Amino acid sequence: MRTDFDFPKAELLGPVVFRPDFNNFEVISANQAWSLFFTGGQEDKALGRNAELGKFFTNLLIAITVAGSLGGAVFTHLT
């Protein structure tokens, strides 16, 4: 009998980044990178296959960085 807990490979329980089929220097998408970031390297498909979500998080990070830099520059200029 096969259940959901019968794992065919021993490396399924470890982080994705240390699995042999993942770690051969292939290019990963923004979704895979953000999924690895949010799950601590455990899962690379947590955000699904929608490319827009990865672009959203990337653009959000850029916007926060630019807003923080501009806010800091304005703050130091005013004081």
Side-chain angles (χ1 to χ4, degrees):
M1 176 174 77
R2 183 166 175 85
T3 65
D4 290 340
F5 300 108
D6 293 334
F7 297 115
K9 297 180 183 176
E11 65 263 2
L12 282 179
L13 299 176
V16 171
V17 293
F18 296 122
R19 293 182 192 166
D21 57 340
F22 183 82
N23 195 10
N24 27 333
F25 301 103
E26 293 180 10
V27 177
I28 62 173
S29 68
N31 273 2
Q32 286 177 308
W34 282 109
S35 293
L36 288 168
F37 175 75
F38 288 138
T39 62
Q42 296 295 321
E43 183 60 44
D44 64 332
K45 295 173 183 64
L47 293 179
R49 302 241 183 238
N50 187 4
E52 295 299 319
L53 196 56
K55 290 178 185 178
F56 170 74
F57 285 123
T58 301
N59 290 334
L60 182 66
L61 181 66
I62 291 169
I64 290 170
T65 304
V66 169
S69 298
L70 290 175
V74 169
F75 180 74
T76 56
H77 180 68
L78 292 177
T79 57

